[in-house]
Amino acid sequence: KVVFDEKTSPKFPFLRLFDASNGESSEPEYFNGKNTLSEILAWITSVSGIKSTKSEVVAVTPKTWKQVVMNNKKNVLVEFYAPW
């Protein structure tokens, strides 16, 4: 199975939006704009109807994943990265 190819992920960082409002992930929405804060926020608003109101950075672990990320009472943007 191909996890990454230039057709599906043409640039870094690449963004995908998953709707987990029903407690399960949906098919992703793909971001194809410029990697600027204003374009990313506009894209999130356009595909979800959610307007950014506050920013809080939290480190998520396997133990806190369900509580923090899969909580359908709040909207969460997750950044995955490798430290190398």
Side-chain angles (χ1 to χ4, degrees):
K1 179 177 177 182
V2 175
V3 176
F4 171 82
D5 66 32
E6 290 196 22
K7 209 178 219 183
T8 58
S9 301
K11 61 186 174 184
F12 289 98
F14 51 89
L15 302 171
R16 305 294 180 256
L17 184 76
F18 296 86
D19 179 3
S21 60
N22 65 359
E24 298 195 18
S25 287
S26 64
E27 287 296 312
E29 294 282 343
Y30 296 90
F31 175 71
N32 292 313
K34 292 180 183 174
N35 287 328
T36 63
L37 180 59
S38 60
E39 285 214 21
I40 292 168
L41 292 176
W43 172 71
I44 290 171
T45 300
S46 73
V47 297
S48 69
I50 299 165
K51 205 156 177 129
S52 177
T53 56
K54 124 180 179 182
S55 177
E56 182 179 335
V57 177
V58 177
V60 179
T61 67
K63 285 185 175 183
T64 62
W65 179 263
K66 274 189 171 182
Q67 176 189 5
V68 174
V69 176
M70 300 305 288
N71 181 347
N72 64 6
K73 294 181 180 174
K74 60 184 173 179
N75 304 305
V76 179
L77 175 64
V78 179
E79 175 187 20
F80 294 95
Y81 66 94
W84 57 82

